[in-house]
Amino acid sequence: MLRDGDIIGERIWGRPRNVVKKWGAAICTGFYLVRSNPRTIASFRDTQLRIVTKRAKQPRWQASDQWAINHAVDDANVRWKTP
């Protein structure tokens, strides 16, 4: 199973809601595997930038890697293969 994708993770059905609505689920950051390649590195750099940018605008915001990862991956137009 782990050889079949660049991002493999468990699903969550709660948040971020707009991603869950679009995909049917979202990436849970409790468990995930990411292969290091130019696409995934770009997605995770985007993830970090999203957290830094949101914290600068909303200092009291509790940084959510799950929110940022899901939005970065969604914006990268990732296509999911699910059984």
Side-chain angles (χ1 to χ4, degrees):
M1 178 178 88
L2 297 179
R3 65 184 153 86
D4 291 338
D6 290 341
I7 301 173
I8 299 167
E10 76 182 299
R11 297 177 193 170
I12 191 165
W13 287 270
R15 292 189 176 157
R17 288 186 179 142
N18 60 328
V19 174
V20 171
K21 185 176 179 181
K22 183 176 182 179
W23 296 346
I27 301 167
C28 178
T29 55
F31 168 81
Y32 62 101
L33 172 113
V34 180
R35 281 191 211 295
S36 180
N37 62 47
R39 291 179 309 224
T40 59
I41 290 169
S43 288
F44 277 80
R45 284 188 176 144
D46 184 25
T47 297
Q48 180 192 22
L49 180 61
R50 286 170 188 268
I51 292 171
V52 169
T53 302
K54 188 149 180 153
R55 287 296 290 270
K57 290 178 183 176
Q58 298 174 328
R60 292 179 165 232
W61 179 68
Q62 182 181 359
S64 171
D65 59 338
Q66 188 161 295
W67 171 87
I69 288 168
N70 279 284
H71 284 285
V73 170
D74 184 39
D75 287 351
N77 296 311
V78 169
R79 282 174 275 165
W80 296 103
K81 293 179 183 178
T82 57

